Amino acid sequence: MKLFEWTGNPFVDTSLMVILHLANKNEISELSYEDVKDVLGDGRELANRNAKLKSFTMVFGTNNSLYQASYGYKKGKGPSEKNLKIYVAETKGLLDEIGKNSKLENGQYVCEICGKSNNFDFESYYNKVCAEVGEKVKKGKVLGRDWFPLSGSLGSDAQALPAASRAMHICPTCLFSIHYLPVALILLGGKSAVFQSTSQSFTMDLVTTIVDEMIARVKAGNSDTIGKKEGTKVLTTRLLDYFRRLQEEKRWSNLPDYTNLLVWKFSNSGTGADCELEEIPNNALMFLWEAVHYGLRQEIDKLLSKEPKDPRFQLLTAIREGKDYERGLYPYKKNPGANVELFVLYQLKICSVTKRALKIAQIIASKYFNLLDDKGKKNIKSEIFNDNTNKSKVRRLMADMAETGELSFEDYTQLFPEIDRHPIKVAWKGWNLIRFFLYHPEDREWDQKFSKIEEGGKEVKPHPLIKKASELYFNDYVERKGLERFYKDILEEFKRGTLKRKWLEGVFSRLAAKGYSEFTMEDWDEFCCDEDGNPVLSELLFQMRLNLANLYGNSKKEVN
Ligand SMILES: [Zn+2]
């Protein structure tokens, strides 16, 4: 039987990674009992380190032998010689128990953490340790969360899990290893965190850098857990550092497909014992990886230096949840926001925006910018599109561009994808993209630079009925009255803002009268009205206008 194997339990596996690292081994299969014995030595180093680490009580609470007041522990002073002695005896005792299990094939218990069979009897082990150090056996001592995090039972613990009506059976390997967990913990948004990943080497590398840094810290007299008061920034910078190292060492040419990172955030202390799991998905890791690859590390550091303290509004939370990072990426008051490249990368990787949508947004922004006078150019406000007049100006510009062929209906749909069909509504996001590019109308190198980056999202299909209605109406009109009359009667009237509900109803009834099946009164209701039967027409009218301008522009080109 192998004594040390990965268990699938994030606490134990992280602890085993620490032991593996301290034993200077890379593979768990290479780790022998003798190696672990060497790592523990006389047990004093582990005891002294854990006595100092602030993270120790986050794993074991304050009921354990190292913090037991009846053995002499004093707040402010720390563990007494007696605390240390008992703690050493406990850890060495667990290692002895591991040795006893080494030749066991079928034990009478199954470990509820790793699933291995064993013959470990907690009570006799505990009695033996007490006898060895000359302490009285504490009656009713059972294995609780002072021995293994979150393992409370009704017998010993108020924070018992619903199913835990008895003490758990945990094998000595799991109980022993876990004493190496405190040195591998970081604080993430105020909670202790351990990691799991589809890539074992990824987790191992994260853990070993934390361990090295923590050991050095303790030696230098600082026992604070890494990440105190940093929110999620501690992990963001660590991931960036790590990816940079990998890229410099050329160990990976790319992040392995599907790599993700699971973050177990837990607390085992006091009355707030709990555990939550967060996933940092592949696209979020890819974003950080590419940011390093394209030399945008400094730009991210700038964002991080300005991020709010509340983890809910920090960069890592936004990329994990796949949301736009409005507080950091966009210019706001004195904050200039991200540079174009970081912004674009973020939109492609995290927000699934297409390159086409980004390009169109920048072209529109650039044209709009050029229409402004010098004063206007200098005084662009971040919240520019909260003002409807500004939105109308941009809409008008888009309609002009549709007429000259610079903006197709399909382009528009990329930038303002539909979020509802009945009645038609489009996403606000397009306004955000345009307002960002108003600050960077001419920085266009990103397109070339990111040529190898895959499309962020899928191309959005425009509304088929709007396209059809426009085409049928256009052909009918031009056939009857000619192209120039169409321009004068329709496009010019649109510019004047006179074509509204009545006109649209006319379009529908004309097409219905001509026998087209999708333009009956019922269709009209479904297409144009909200649940209460009130027509919601502005977006629909605008999309008709764009289409008709496109059709006119194309016909005009053919004529010339
Ligand atoms: Zn176990």
Side-chain angles (χ1 to χ4, degrees):
M1 167 170 137
K2 277 194 191 121
L3 278 180
F4 303 102
E5 283 177 299
W6 300 125
T7 65
N9 178 291
F11 301 128
V12 176
D13 285 355
T14 305
S15 311
L16 285 172
M17 283 178 191
V18 179
I19 297 173
L20 199 58
H21 181 55
L22 295 176
N24 265 320
K25 293 277 158 77
N26 293 316
E27 300 292 334
I28 191 89
S29 56
E30 296 169 3
L31 192 69
S32 68
Y33 186 66
E34 291 306 313
D35 291 331
V36 181
K37 243 179 143 172
D38 283 348
V39 169
L40 183 67
D42 64 6
R44 295 295 293 197
E45 193 183 356
L46 176 70
N48 284 326
R49 186 169 64 229
N50 277 346
K52 291 190 188 107
L53 286 173
K54 295 250 167 74
S55 52
F56 182 81
T57 52
M58 301 186 102
V59 179
F60 296 102
T62 51
N63 258 339
N64 58 81
S65 55
L66 203 49
Y67 277 69
Q68 194 59 250
S70 63
Y71 297 151
Y73 175 88
K74 278 203 179 68
K75 223 179 168 183
K77 274 185 128 178
S80 69
E81 194 45 44
K82 194 170 175 183
N83 287 111
L84 289 163
K85 192 177 143 197
I86 296 170
Y87 181 78
V88 166
E90 280 176 4
T91 40
K92 290 189 89 168
L94 284 170
L95 192 58
D96 288 344
E97 295 287 335
I98 297 176
K100 278 191 215 160
N101 266 326
S102 62
K103 293 206 170 63
L104 188 74
E105 285 301 331
N106 276 309
Q108 56 174 324
Y109 305 114
V110 171
C111 172
E112 287 173 69
I113 301 297
C114 68
K116 279 193 176 176
S117 79
N118 62 85
N119 270 343
F120 177 63
D121 177 58
F122 180 77
E123 202 183 328
S124 56
Y125 153 78
Y126 176 70
N127 291 348
K128 210 178 132 212
V129 170
C130 289
E132 201 183 304
V133 293
E135 277 300 313
K136 259 202 261 163
V137 172
K138 282 191 176 142
K139 272 218 166 130
K141 187 80 182 167
V142 291
L143 201 159
R145 71 186 170 109
D146 46 337
W147 290 87
F148 195 91
L150 307 171
S151 65
S153 71
L154 285 178
S156 72
D157 206 315
Q159 282 76 45
L161 300 166
S165 56
R166 52 159 180 80
M168 286 173 88
H169 286 296
I170 302 178
C171 77
T173 309
C174 291
L175 288 176
F176 171 80
S177 314
I178 206 77
H179 286 275
Y180 287 87
L181 185 61
V183 76
L185 290 182
I186 64 168
L187 278 177
L188 203 58
K191 279 194 174 166
S192 329
V194 293
F195 307 105
Q196 272 182 319
S197 170
T198 46
S199 161
Q200 184 88 30
S201 64
F202 183 11
T203 333
M204 183 77 191
D205 284 346
L206 275 179
V207 168
T208 53
T209 50
I210 292 168
V211 172
D212 289 343
E213 192 178 328
M214 216 46 235
I215 288 177
R217 265 196 191 198
V218 173
K219 279 187 184 146
N222 175 5
S223 57
D224 282 343
T225 313
I226 293 169
K228 196 180 167 190
K229 290 187 181 150
E230 283 186 70
T232 59
K233 188 167 143 187
V234 57
L235 183 55
T236 324
T237 48
R238 242 149 234 284
L239 289 171
L240 290 164
D241 287 343
Y242 174 55
F243 291 158
R244 178 164 62 192
R245 220 174 62 228
L246 286 178
Q247 289 174 20
E248 277 168 5
E249 293 169 5
K250 299 198 166 39
R251 268 164 63 194
W252 288 346
S253 60
N254 213 331
L255 202 60
D257 279 353
Y258 311 114
T259 305
N260 70 350
L261 187 65
L262 296 176
V263 185
W264 295 85
K265 298 203 294 184
F266 73 100
S267 164
N268 192 42
S269 63
T271 51
D274 72 354
C275 184
E276 58 181 303
L277 178 62
E278 281 176 357
E279 185 193 1
I280 301 180
N282 183 257
N283 69 319
L285 295 174
M286 279 305 293
F287 164 72
L288 295 174
W289 174 277
E290 301 284 17
V292 172
H293 177 73
Y294 285 101
L296 299 170
R297 173 65 197 264
Q298 276 191 326
E299 280 299 314
I300 293 205
D301 284 342
K302 271 193 229 165
L303 283 193
L304 291 175
S305 71
K306 292 191 190 89
E307 71 175 0
K309 289 227 161 62
D310 188 334
R312 288 175 301 165
F313 306 117
Q314 292 187 323
L315 178 68
L316 191 68
T317 308
I319 62 170
R320 193 168 63 70
E321 293 176 349
K323 288 182 184 151
D324 207 356
Y325 186 49
E326 290 202 33
R327 291 195 183 214
L329 293 176
Y330 294 84
Y332 184 66
K333 292 191 174 155
K334 282 191 180 142
N335 182 359
N339 75 358
V340 173
E341 287 167 2
L342 185 62
F343 179 83
V344 166
L345 191 65
Y346 192 97
Q347 299 305 323
L348 290 172
K349 286 281 160 200
I350 304 296
C351 301
S352 298
V353 173
T354 59
K355 284 184 185 172
R356 186 166 169 191
L358 290 162
K359 274 184 223 171
I360 297 153
Q362 192 169 28
I363 292 169
I364 294 170
S366 156
K367 285 200 172 273
Y368 185 83
F369 184 80
N370 288 330
L371 294 175
L372 299 171
D373 57 20
D374 286 350
K375 202 177 154 215
K377 283 178 183 161
K378 272 189 202 129
N379 286 315
I380 290 166
K381 293 250 169 8
S382 179
E383 57 274 40
I384 176 166
F385 295 128
N386 292 355
D387 183 342
N388 272 329
T389 22
N390 290 327
K391 281 204 288 194
S392 299
K393 282 182 197 162
V394 173
R395 280 218 181 87
R396 183 174 185 136
L397 174 71
M398 288 193 277
D400 289 345
M401 288 168 70
E403 205 176 301
T404 55
E406 292 163 288
L407 181 80
S408 70
F409 183 46
E410 284 77 8
D411 288 336
Y412 174 81
T413 323
Q414 295 307 311
L415 188 53
F416 290 99
E418 240 176 59
I419 49 171
D420 209 341
R421 244 183 198 190
H422 306 293
I424 186 161
K425 276 186 203 144
V426 294
W428 168 271
K429 177 81 184 203
W431 296 113
N432 271 347
L433 298 180
I434 297 173
R435 81 182 165 96
F436 175 83
F437 283 118
L438 279 174
Y439 290 82
H440 308 274
E442 303 307 328
D443 300 347
R444 312 235 179 152
E445 291 81 20
W446 63 267
D447 190 17
Q448 184 64 31
K449 184 163 178 169
F450 294 143
S451 61
K452 285 201 180 112
I453 296 231
E454 282 170 36
E455 276 296 340
K458 289 196 187 90
E459 295 251 321
V460 190
K461 290 250 178 331
H463 198 305
L465 203 58
I466 296 180
K467 216 171 157 64
K468 191 173 170 190
S470 314
E471 277 166 17
L472 291 170
Y473 180 76
F474 177 79
N475 292 337
D476 178 55
Y477 206 100
V478 173
E479 220 168 81
R480 284 185 293 126
K481 301 184 178 170
L483 198 57
E484 286 323 301
R485 271 292 296 279
F486 175 82
Y487 182 78
K488 210 165 159 305
D489 296 350
I490 308 298
L491 295 187
E492 285 207 330
E493 290 305 318
F494 261 127
K495 284 178 197 174
R496 258 178 236 127
T498 56
L499 300 189
K500 293 200 167 138
R501 178 181 178 170
K502 229 177 128 199
W503 171 79
L504 199 58
E505 275 178 338
V507 172
F508 259 71
S509 57
R510 168 110 195 128
L511 294 176
K514 291 202 76 176
Y516 295 110
S517 60
E518 287 159 302
F519 301 95
T520 65
M521 270 322 276
E522 271 168 29
D523 291 319
W524 163 267
D525 277 347
E526 226 213 323
F527 197 38
C528 310
C529 301
D530 63 16
E531 294 104 351
D532 304 322
N534 300 316
V536 180
L537 298 178
S538 64
E539 182 59 32
L540 179 58
L541 276 166
F542 182 66
Q543 294 201 6
M544 289 285 289
R545 179 182 177 186
L546 278 183
N547 262 301
L548 294 170
N550 263 173
L551 290 162
Y552 170 80
N554 289 342
S555 298
K556 188 88 180 155
K557 262 186 217 149
E558 279 167 29
V559 174
N560 291 340

